Amino acid sequence: MIALRKFYRLAAFTSLLLAAGVSAQAQDRYPTRPITIVVPFAAGGPTDILARLIGQSIGQTLGQQVVVEDVTGAGGTIGATRVARAEPDGYTMVMGNLGTHAASLGIYQKLPYDPRTDFEPVILVASTPMVLVTRKTLGVHTLDETIAYAKASKGKTTMGSAGIGSISHLTLLLFNHLTGVDVVHVPYRGLSEATNDLLGGQIDLLFDQVVTATPHIVNGNENPIVVTIPQRAASIPNVPSANEAGLPNLQTVAWTALFVPKKTPAAIVNKINGAVQKAMQEPLIAKRLAEIGADVPPPEQRSAETLRQLVNAEVDKWVPLIEAAGIVGQ
């Protein structure tokens, strides 16, 4: 009987060693099949643009196709939830942002994931300020004029967003708080849908990311009012900064980052991180990011640990403000 027990223990130990060996080999060979980047917002929006730009480059580096899949709804939390529940093997990742990986924790009482613990952070991809734009026919051209118009038509001025808890929604809340206006929030399933209605004259205002607003501003299809940083944005240098416009506390920076499910092996996380860092060094990618107003993070901000610290800091900053405002997601 003792001999039999020893046999079973040895067999179990051997199985564990074999499993560990197979796992290590799988990590070494990664990737062996296509990779999916989930974009939790509508196609054509800033997150989608960045995912496709980076995805094409890392696919070449890793030797596998990278498929970008747009999974919309609930301020991006549906797509993020899908990745949080995916196998931790490096084949499913999410291009998250301030909304999905910080603000959502304060908005959704039954959020199916915790952005601080249910993901492995990979790398901060880009950051971009927001820009307040208006429909072309609104007839305002400065921040003071915009505030005066909104106050004069209190409860009637409409402002779109990419959804409850999105960066555009958070900036709207900050704008209302700082100015005392009461614009009507019109949530969409993504910034691209909100932009279409702004261009069509169905809504009055929108805090868009510089990444997606720049082409419309350059083509004269939108009236730019102010960018939400202390200095002007390089891609739209004629638009005043929040400091210049007289509202220095209107500061919001949209950041975009890659996350994989919790317990994804560190070797795989490091491999993806390296592929993205290589993409950032490609002249064509750097040029394209500059053209659309996306700022590439400096080298010291590209580690997984730095991204983890960013998420924790953003949760600490925004969740109390959201809860105090009584914002509740559906």
Side-chain angles (χ1 to χ4, degrees):
M1 181 64 71
I2 294 176
L4 188 60
R5 288 177 181 172
K6 288 183 177 180
F7 171 78
Y8 283 134
R9 289 173 183 169
L10 180 60
F13 181 68
T14 302
S15 297
L16 287 173
L17 289 177
L18 289 173
V22 170
S23 176
Q25 290 176 9
Q27 293 174 37
D28 290 340
R29 294 196 306 267
Y30 172 86
T32 59
R33 54 187 171 86
I35 300 166
T36 297
I37 297 179
V38 171
V39 171
F41 302 103
T47 309
D48 180 75
I49 291 172
L50 289 171
R52 294 181 188 280
L53 188 63
I54 295 297
Q56 182 177 9
S57 176
I58 67 173
Q60 294 173 353
T61 299
L62 296 174
Q64 286 290 337
Q65 180 186 11
V66 174
V67 178
V68 175
E69 184 176 352
D70 300 293
V71 182
T72 64
T77 62
I78 291 177
T81 298
R82 173 178 161 182
V83 175
R85 294 174 175 172
E87 289 295 321
D89 53 13
Y91 290 97
T92 307
M93 60 188 81
V94 62
M95 192 70 89
N97 63 17
L98 169 59
T100 59
H101 281 73
S104 59
L105 200 60
I107 291 173
Y108 298 94
Q109 295 180 350
K110 296 182 179 179
L111 188 67
Y113 63 86
D114 187 324
R116 299 166 296 185
T117 58
D118 288 334
F119 297 89
E120 298 295 341
V122 178
I123 188 170
L124 178 65
V125 173
S127 62
T128 178
M130 307 296 286
V131 56
L132 176 61
V133 291
T134 80
R135 58 179 169 85
K136 189 65 178 176
T137 57
L138 191 62
V140 298
H141 298 89
T142 67
L143 182 60
D144 286 342
E145 289 177 357
T146 304
I147 294 171
Y149 177 89
K151 287 184 175 180
S153 55
K154 189 173 182 179
K156 296 180 180 179
T157 305
T158 54
M159 182 180 290
S161 81
I164 293 175
S166 65
I167 302 166
S168 47
H169 180 214
L170 295 178
T171 311
L172 179 160
L173 293 177
L174 183 60
F175 178 72
N176 278 351
H177 173 73
L178 294 173
T179 63
V181 302
D182 184 22
V183 298
V184 178
H185 179 215
V186 183
Y188 291 82
R189 295 177 70 87
L191 272 175
S192 59
E193 294 181 7
T195 297
N196 288 338
D197 271 9
L198 184 79
L199 295 173
Q202 279 76 48
I203 56 175
D204 300 316
L205 308 169
L206 175 66
F207 274 107
D208 197 356
Q209 292 188 31
V210 169
V211 170
T212 40
T214 293
H216 300 296
I217 293 171
V218 171
N219 293 332
N221 297 321
E222 298 174 349
N223 290 330
I225 303 299
V226 63
V227 291
T228 62
I229 47 175
Q231 68 283 343
R232 299 192 177 200
S235 62
I236 43 174
N238 294 328
V239 183
S241 68
N243 283 10
E244 292 173 308
L247 200 62
N249 290 330
L250 185 64
Q251 303 286 333
T252 308
V253 175
W255 51 265
T256 304
L258 275 175
F259 299 85
V260 290
K262 182 181 179 181
K263 296 184 179 180
T264 299
I268 291 177
V269 171
N270 292 337
K271 202 165 191 176
I272 300 170
N273 179 291
V276 176
Q277 296 222 42
K278 182 179 178 182
M280 292 176 176
Q281 296 169 6
E282 295 178 15
L284 289 178
I285 295 229
K287 180 175 182 292
R288 178 59 179 145
L289 289 173
E291 289 173 348
I292 61 179
D295 298 321
V296 176
E300 65 270 18
Q301 295 180 13
R302 299 179 191 172
S303 71
E305 181 55 33
T306 300
L307 177 54
R308 188 186 306 278
Q309 293 172 7
L310 173 63
V311 169
N312 289 335
E314 292 286 64
V315 167
D316 291 343
K317 173 184 176 180
W318 288 102
V319 169
L321 295 176
I322 292 167
E323 292 176 342
I327 305 301
V328 179
Q330 301 297 321

